[in-house]
Amino acid sequence: MKQQNYLDNLVGVFGHPVAENPGVVIQEAAFADLGLERWHFLTIDVGPDDLGDAIKGLKAFKMRGINCTIPHKIEVLKFLDAVAPSARIIGAVNTIVNDGGKLTGHNTDGQGFMIALQGAGVDPKGKKVVVLGAGGASRAICVELALAGAAKLTVVNVPRDQALADGLMRTLRENTRVEALYVPWEGKLTVPAGTDILVNATSIGLYPNVNDKPNIDYDSIGKGTYVQDVIPNPAFTPFLREADQRGLRWQSGLQMLINQAALNIVMWTGKQPNKEVMRQALEKALA
Ligand code: NDP
């Protein structure tokens, strides 16, 4: 008789709110494609006061890992045994790997962004980059860009949260060699001449606010500027439409999302997923 193993391998996401997080769709499509029958991705609503108990549960269930999303990305640091260098600099973790009870935190948001850039044939080394927004996604992206050798990083953010931008400037200057500059976002932004890469790392344009776009003088974007959005839903935002209408090269946040999910799968299962399968599953779910 064949020996059976019905043990489930569990991964998932802790967040609040989390019901609309599409991680399960992408991850389970990859598991099925890889023939990982007993791997399951659980979408788990964990309130801010319950994170410690949830982490105990993760260990008790011997879950292989977990993603953390709003509001846990920073708070979770205190429950970890180790933190990857870039996640330590970013100051936030979105992926945890459980090696026999030892929890290591990673930040795959910025790494997913970098792989998306590479996929588009864009090397940030020595480049001048303008990043809109100074929130969590911006921090991850800015740190990775700086570590990859970007020459100049201009972070544009509304002055209503000065502390965010100040913190990011300090992080970049203390941990990397990039020339970091903060520009308060007041009125219509003129994109500095000579910008090689323009990134929307704000939440402007995210569903349901699908008609919103960053307040920019779009005609000020140089002809050679590469434009990248972080918004995964919808994939084609008004920001990207402006870039497209001007004949600029651009990429949506979808690829970044797929890449970071693919990195999670590699970390958890040791197997390389098929990103095309993941992309198709996500597009079908978001359609
Ligand atoms: P945060 O809330 O941490 O940051 C959002 C940023 O956008 C802040 O700097 C905020 O400024 C700014 N912002 C929001 N609205 C406006 C506005 N009207 N005008 C100017 N600035 C504005 O969110 P995250 O950084 O975590 O996420 C940002 C986006 O990135 C989300 O849409 C998320 O879906 C996406 N994302 C995509 C990923 C992917 O893989 N594709 C991965 C991670 C995130 P202020 O604080 O002053 O409001």
Side-chain angles (χ1 to χ4, degrees):
M1 202 173 101
K2 201 171 124 200
Q3 192 185 356
Q4 303 294 346
N5 183 351
Y6 298 114
L7 200 61
D8 286 321
N9 297 285
L10 301 179
V11 292
V13 56
F14 290 163
H16 182 79
V18 76
E20 290 192 21
N21 188 300
V24 60
V25 174
I26 317 173
Q27 304 266 347
E28 293 213 336
F31 293 156
D33 181 64
L34 286 167
L36 296 171
E37 279 177 21
R38 303 219 69 84
W39 281 77
H40 306 286
F41 186 98
L42 310 179
T43 303
I44 307 173
D45 192 317
V46 175
D49 296 337
D50 296 325
L51 184 60
D53 287 338
I55 292 288
K56 278 189 197 154
L58 175 151
K59 288 187 176 178
F61 285 3
K62 298 185 176 58
M63 291 180 75
R64 176 65 176 131
I66 201 83
N67 285 143
C68 285
T69 185
I70 293 170
H72 303 309
K73 286 186 183 183
I74 297 170
E75 194 60 19
V76 78
L77 280 163
K78 66 179 182 221
F79 299 108
L80 304 179
D81 302 297
V83 179
S86 67
R88 172 74 65 200
I89 298 173
I90 293 163
V93 154
N94 74 331
T95 302
I96 297 171
V97 179
N98 180 9
D99 289 305
K102 182 187 172 195
L103 303 186
T104 303
H106 301 263
N107 192 312
T108 57
D109 284 340
Q111 291 170 34
F113 171 88
M114 295 303 289
I115 298 170
L117 270 197
Q118 281 160 18
V122 177
D123 180 359
K125 199 169 173 29
K127 299 285 185 346
K128 292 184 181 141
V129 188
V130 172
V131 179
L132 309 177
S138 171
R139 279 185 77 84
I141 288 168
C142 286
V143 167
E144 294 291 351
L145 282 168
L147 293 175
K152 184 171 178 182
L153 261 177
T154 303
V155 175
V156 184
N157 197 48
V158 278
R160 64 175 169 253
D161 201 344
Q162 185 69 37
L164 262 184
D166 288 348
L168 178 52
M169 287 299 111
R170 225 178 9 257
T171 296
L172 292 170
R173 289 174 188 145
E174 286 172 5
N175 296 284
T176 77
R177 292 143 66 111
V178 78
E179 181 189 346
L181 183 74
Y182 162 66
V183 172
W185 197 346
E186 288 161 323
K188 203 170 262 204
L189 175 77
T190 300
V191 178
T195 298
D196 298 300
I197 303 170
L198 173 65
V199 183
N200 173 35
T202 73
S203 43
I204 303 170
L206 184 68
Y207 182 87
N209 304 313
V210 297
N211 294 319
D212 291 358
K213 65 182 172 195
N215 191 11
I216 296 178
D217 173 5
Y218 286 90
D219 287 328
S220 70
I221 307 176
K223 293 269 173 285
T225 307
Y226 169 82
V227 177
Q228 175 76 48
D229 208 339
V230 298
I231 303 293
N233 179 25
F236 193 49
T237 56
F239 172 69
L240 293 178
R241 190 169 301 121
E242 295 284 353
D244 191 58
Q245 281 167 357
R246 286 164 178 78
L248 304 173
R249 283 191 307 144
W250 58 267
Q251 185 171 224
S252 79
L254 213 59
Q255 215 51 39
M256 172 181 168
L257 188 66
I258 302 289
N259 287 328
Q260 61 107 351
L263 283 169
N264 294 338
I265 291 180
V266 173
M267 288 177 187
W268 291 332
T269 72
K271 296 198 187 311
Q272 284 289 349
N274 183 332
K275 291 186 195 174
E276 186 51 27
V277 166
M278 298 166 82
R279 192 184 62 77
Q280 281 174 15
L282 182 61
E283 279 185 349
K284 197 168 149 203
L286 297 180

